[in-house]
């Protein structure tokens, strides 16, 4: 069993996103230095956002808001009527950030199941 599935395979997640027509990774740069990135994808029903991150020394300058606006534009252009995202329990900074951007807590429970063997089983 995987101890913490969401953080186990970021490299594989990135590989899948950059080779899919339904997903992308947006990168924000200042003076040619990467300072932020975000993954967005459209599952045919809704848009999803993952892995938003701003360099620690660049946080609090609006880059996170900019990255989210670009991700939302990307999803809107692909017909997604709604965007959703998941925030890890305890990440109060992220929750407050998304609330400031107009995101609302949804009354749902997220369930997951692996469809491929776990790394420990290989
Ligand atoms: C969450 C994160 C992306 C925010 O990026 P950022 O560039 O610092 O955020 P911004 O400067 O664009 O802030 C946008 C708004 O969110 C608000 N905000 C940001 N952090 C906040 C906090 N901890 N509490 C309250 N409001 C907050 C800002 O006040 C700002 O509001 P305003 O535009 O009305 O003034 C950044 O902190 C980060 O990379 N965290 C580590 C990775 C992470 O947790 N990612 C989320 C995974 S779900």
């Amino acid at each position: 069993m995987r101890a913490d599935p969401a953080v186990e395979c970021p490299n594989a997640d990135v590989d899948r996103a950059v080779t899919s027509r339904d997903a992308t990774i947006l990168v924000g740069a200042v003076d040619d230095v990467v300072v932020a990135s975000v993954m967005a994808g459209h599952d045919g029903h809704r848009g999803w956002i993952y892995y938003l991150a701003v360099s620690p020394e660049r946080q609090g300058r609006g880059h996170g808001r900019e990255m989210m606006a670009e991700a939302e534009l990307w999803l809107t252009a692909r017909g997604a009527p709604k965007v959703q995202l998941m925030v890890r329990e305890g990440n109060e900074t992220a929750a407050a950030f998304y609330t400031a951007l107009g995101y609302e807590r949804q009354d749902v429970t997220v369930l997951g199941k692996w469809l491929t063997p776990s790394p420990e089983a290989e």
Side-chain angles (χ1 to χ4, degrees):
M1 179 180 291
R2 291 179 181 175
D4 196 351
V7 295
E8 293 257 340
C9 308
N11 291 342
D13 291 347
V14 168
D15 288 345
R16 275 192 297 274
V18 296
T19 54
S20 168
R21 290 170 53 116
D22 301 316
T24 191
I25 296 183
L26 305 177
V27 175
V30 175
D31 296 331
D32 292 332
V33 176
V34 172
V35 300
S37 59
V38 64
M39 178 189 292
H42 186 352
D43 65 10
H45 177 48
R46 290 188 177 145
W48 284 88
I49 287 177
Y50 300 94
Y51 290 121
L52 172 69
V54 175
S55 300
E57 66 274 14
R58 291 280 185 171
Q59 292 176 9
R61 302 184 193 189
H63 295 322
R65 181 185 281 279
E66 282 182 80
M67 296 304 293
M68 287 296 293
E70 290 298 327
E72 290 170 9
L73 276 177
W74 190 92
L75 291 167
T76 301
R78 280 150 188 84
K82 184 179 182 185
V83 59
Q84 300 192 156
L85 53 84
M86 293 178 278
V87 176
R88 198 171 291 277
E89 203 65 50
N91 192 347
E92 300 306 331
T93 300
F97 163 79
Y98 289 121
T99 299
L101 269 60
Y103 284 73
E104 295 173 332
R105 218 170 271 265
Q106 310 278 286
D107 189 18
V108 295
T109 299
V110 178
L111 304 179
K113 175 184 174 184
W114 289 100
L115 300 176
T116 56
S118 71
E120 290 81 0
E122 290 170 352

